[in-house]
């Protein structure tokens, strides 16, 4: 059932299935060889359809970026996304701004009910609120938009201490647990749900985590600019993301790594980067949800 739903989501997003496959893994990721061979992964849970759904949408955003690069950059140093901050702006844009919107919930509700008859009695409003419920949690990849960046801050502060020589690898679990209590008010029951939940550090990917926060902020400003010329909610509700995708392809995807990140985004925004767009987006969305 969940695999069928993944195929449906990729179709709705406008992902070229001829050049993008999907498979299963423990920790979802996207990889690519060029813009003709991109691969995404997800993880299915028997008791949590939503986890895989947003995983597919998130990784699908990465895939669209890679698929949208101009052919001329293939097999050169300019192929692929220019930075992880830009890459995460695309994945977080699709996962949250599109995937958790009322318009998207309205679009996919019939498919969800067809796949899971138990949802027949659940209204679109209830689904929307469930997909956007905000509460402190243990797992970064499952975190809601409002608390997500607190997970990033924990990792960022720990990385700084590691590189400053103020913290050793052996001390990581205790410091992680302490900071989750301080930042999110939750107790960590095990290292599996704590310091070992991400694969990034074991892969040597230090300095990566802030790109998720930066990408989220980029995404909010892109959304604000896009709405000036694209009826985003209307297009999403109709199941037609072609104009959304074309807008991003024209301003970001097609350039591969040709332009430096700051130059690329300022051209897309037609203004300097301004994180207040992200703050305003969160404030307006969650004030409406929680009054």
């Amino acid at each position: 059932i969940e695999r069928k739903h993944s195929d449906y989501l990729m179709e709705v997003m406008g992902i070229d299935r001829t050049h993008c496959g999907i498979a299963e893994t423990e920790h979802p990721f996207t990889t690519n060889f060029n813009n003709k061979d991109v691969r995404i992964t997800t993880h299915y849970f028997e008791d949590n359809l939503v986890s895989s759904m947003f995983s597919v949408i998130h990784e699908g955003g990465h895939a669209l970026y890679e698929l949208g690069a101009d052919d001329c950059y293939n097999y050169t140093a300019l192929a692929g996304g220019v930075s992880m901050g830009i890459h995460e702006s695309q994945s977080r844009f699709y996962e949250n701004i599109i995937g958790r919107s009322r318009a998207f919930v309205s679009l996919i509700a019939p498919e969800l009910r067809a796949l899971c008859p138990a949802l027949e009695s659940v209204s679109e409003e209830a689904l929307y609120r469930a997909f956007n419920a905000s509460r402190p949690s243990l797992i970064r990849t499952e975190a809601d938009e409002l608390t997500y960046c607190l997970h990033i801050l924990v990792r960022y502060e720990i990385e700084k201490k590691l590189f400053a020589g103020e913290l050793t690898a052996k001390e990581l679990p205790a410091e992680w647990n302490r900071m989750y209590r301080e930042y999110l008010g939750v107790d960590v029951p095990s290292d599996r749900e704590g310091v070992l939940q991400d694969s990034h550090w074991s892969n040597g990917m230090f300095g990566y985590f802030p790109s998720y926060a930066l990408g989220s902020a980029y995404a909010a400003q892109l959304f604000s600019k896009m709405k000036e010329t694209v009826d985003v909610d209307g297009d999403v509700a109709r199941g037609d993301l072609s104009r959304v995708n074309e807008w991003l392809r024209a301003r970001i995807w097609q350039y591969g790594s040709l332009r430096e990140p700051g130059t690329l985004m300022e051209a897309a925004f037609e203004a300097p980067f301004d994180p207040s767009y992200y703050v305003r987006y969160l404030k307006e969305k969650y004030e409406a949800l929680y009054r």
Side-chain angles (χ1 to χ4, degrees):
I1 290 176
E2 288 192 86
R3 176 54 196 269
K4 286 179 63 178
H5 190 49
S6 295
D7 292 337
Y8 165 76
L9 291 170
M10 293 175 73
E11 180 182 345
V12 167
M13 292 177 71
I15 294 173
D16 178 3
R17 295 303 306 277
T18 303
H19 298 114
C20 182
I22 183 170
E24 294 77 46
T25 189
E26 178 61 30
H27 188 103
F29 66 93
T30 298
T31 190
N32 67 290
F33 298 91
N34 53 55
N35 69 353
K36 299 296 188 291
D37 187 352
V38 181
R39 308 175 190 192
I40 71 172
T41 62
T42 188
H43 186 116
Y44 299 119
F45 296 93
E46 291 184 3
D47 60 349
N48 191 346
L49 173 67
V50 174
S51 175
S52 174
M53 182 176 82
F54 287 112
S55 168
V56 171
I57 300 172
H58 178 99
E59 301 304 334
H62 284 304
L64 283 168
Y65 186 9
E66 294 294 340
L67 291 164
D70 194 282
D71 290 348
C72 70
Y73 302 124
N74 282 341
Y75 310 109
T76 76
L78 298 178
V82 65
S83 76
M84 291 320 304
I86 308 300
H87 239 302
E88 297 302 343
S89 75
Q90 304 308 290
S91 59
R92 299 288 288 169
F93 174 86
Y94 282 93
E95 176 190 358
N96 293 320
I97 292 178
I98 299 296
R100 298 182 194 273
S101 67
R102 287 183 183 277
F104 194 78
V105 173
S106 176
L107 170 67
I108 69 171
E111 177 73 9
L112 284 173
R113 292 177 181 131
L115 291 172
C116 185
L119 293 175
E120 284 290 348
S121 61
V122 180
S123 68
E124 288 182 10
E125 178 66 16
L127 283 173
Y128 173 72
R129 289 184 172 274
F131 292 165
N132 288 283
S134 179
R135 63 178 67 89
S137 59
L138 289 166
I139 308 300
R140 174 186 62 84
T141 56
E142 310 291 341
D144 62 86
E145 287 182 274
L146 195 60
T147 63
Y148 182 87
C149 284
L150 295 175
H151 293 261
I152 302 305
L153 284 171
V154 168
R155 291 153 176 79
Y156 176 59
E157 295 298 333
I158 286 177
E159 285 187 344
K160 288 195 295 181
K161 291 178 181 179
L162 282 170
F163 278 87
E166 299 170 2
L167 192 67
T168 67
K170 185 177 181 179
E171 296 168 326
L172 274 174
E175 180 64 4
W176 179 287
N177 297 352
R178 184 193 69 79
M179 293 191 71
Y180 260 74
R181 163 53 59 183
E182 178 184 346
Y183 279 53
L184 286 141
V186 296
D187 292 316
V188 180
S190 70
D191 289 343
R192 186 177 187 273
E193 296 172 281
V195 72
L196 295 179
Q197 68 179 265
D198 294 303
S199 61
H200 301 64
W201 287 343
S202 61
N203 288 330
M205 299 165 71
F206 290 91
Y208 187 113
F209 287 110
S211 68
Y212 291 110
L214 179 61
S216 298
Y218 278 157
Q221 191 166 351
L222 286 171
F223 181 47
S224 178
K225 185 64 182 177
M226 183 186 294
K227 289 191 295 182
E228 294 179 5
T229 54
V230 178
D231 177 13
V232 179
D233 286 339
D235 286 1
V236 171
R238 288 188 293 273
D240 182 4
L241 270 67
S242 59
R243 291 200 300 169
V244 171
N245 291 348
E246 282 303 320
W247 194 96
L248 290 168
R249 180 180 289 107
R251 289 161 178 78
I252 297 173
W253 302 347
Q254 67 165 321
Y255 295 108
S257 292
L258 179 66
R259 295 182 175 181
E260 291 192 358
T263 302
L264 178 71
M265 297 309 277
E266 287 197 11
F269 300 147
E270 296 182 8
F273 168 55
D274 182 354
S276 67
Y277 283 91
Y278 184 40
V279 176
R280 183 161 59 250
Y281 163 78
L282 290 175
K283 183 179 176 65
E284 290 176 355
K285 181 172 184 175
Y286 282 91
E287 281 187 347
L289 276 164
Y290 285 93
R291 295 186 177 86

